[in-house]
Amino acid sequence: MKARIIRLRSSKPKEKRKGGMMPDAGSKLMNRQMTKLILANKYADAPTALAMEKIDRGLFVPEELKGSAYEDRPLPIGYGQTISAPGIVALMCSKLDVREGMRVLEV
C-alpha cells in the first residue's frame, strides 16, 4: 500500500521565518515540554520528537483551544473533526519509519 502525500494550505495569514512558522516564546516552550513527554513515554525516538518540536501544535488548533494545544489528547478542530493526540501522532510516525526529508499527513 502506497501512501500519498498531500500538502494543505491554510487560508490564514502566517508569519514566516527561515524554516517555517514562528511561534511565540511561550508556545515554543510548551511544544518543547510536550515533545519531552513524548520521549519520556517512549512514544517515539529522538529524531521523531525533534521533528515534532519544530512544528508548533498550537498553529493547528482553534484560538479558543490554544491553552490546551500541548496536552496529550485529541482536540476538536471543527466540522466534527479532531487533531490527534501528540503521543498518537508520534507513535504512528515511529511505526511508519519516517525519515528526514519525508512529509506526513495524518488523516
Side-chain angles (χ1 to χ4, degrees):
M1 178 177 177
K2 288 188 177 183
R4 285 186 32 198
I5 299 172
I6 302 169
R7 294 179 95 186
L8 298 178
R9 297 191 187 272
S10 172
S11 59
K12 293 181 181 178
K14 54 191 170 193
E15 294 182 48
K16 291 227 176 188
R17 68 177 168 94
K18 188 176 180 182
M21 295 176 240
M22 187 184 316
D24 62 36
S27 296
K28 200 171 182 178
L29 176 63
M30 295 297 291
N31 210 55
R32 185 174 298 129
Q33 289 174 334
M34 180 188 74
T35 55
K36 283 182 181 180
L37 284 173
I38 285 169
L39 281 171
N41 290 324
K42 299 183 180 177
Y43 291 133
D45 57 9
T48 301
L50 181 61
M52 290 181 72
E53 187 175 317
K54 289 180 180 180
I55 306 298
D56 182 16
R57 187 172 190 246
L59 296 170
F60 300 94
V61 299
E63 194 63 40
E64 64 273 11
L65 294 173
K66 295 280 187 198
S68 300
Y70 309 100
E71 296 173 9
D72 194 12
R73 65 184 182 101
L75 295 171
I77 55 172
Y79 302 99
Q81 303 299 309
T82 61
I83 184 173
S84 297
I88 294 299
V89 174
L91 186 61
M92 287 188 297
C93 289
S94 174
K95 296 295 182 189
L96 283 171
D97 193 26
V98 176
R99 296 170 193 256
E100 188 173 340
M102 293 178 166
R103 293 176 185 226
V104 176
L105 172 64
E106 181 265 333
V107 180

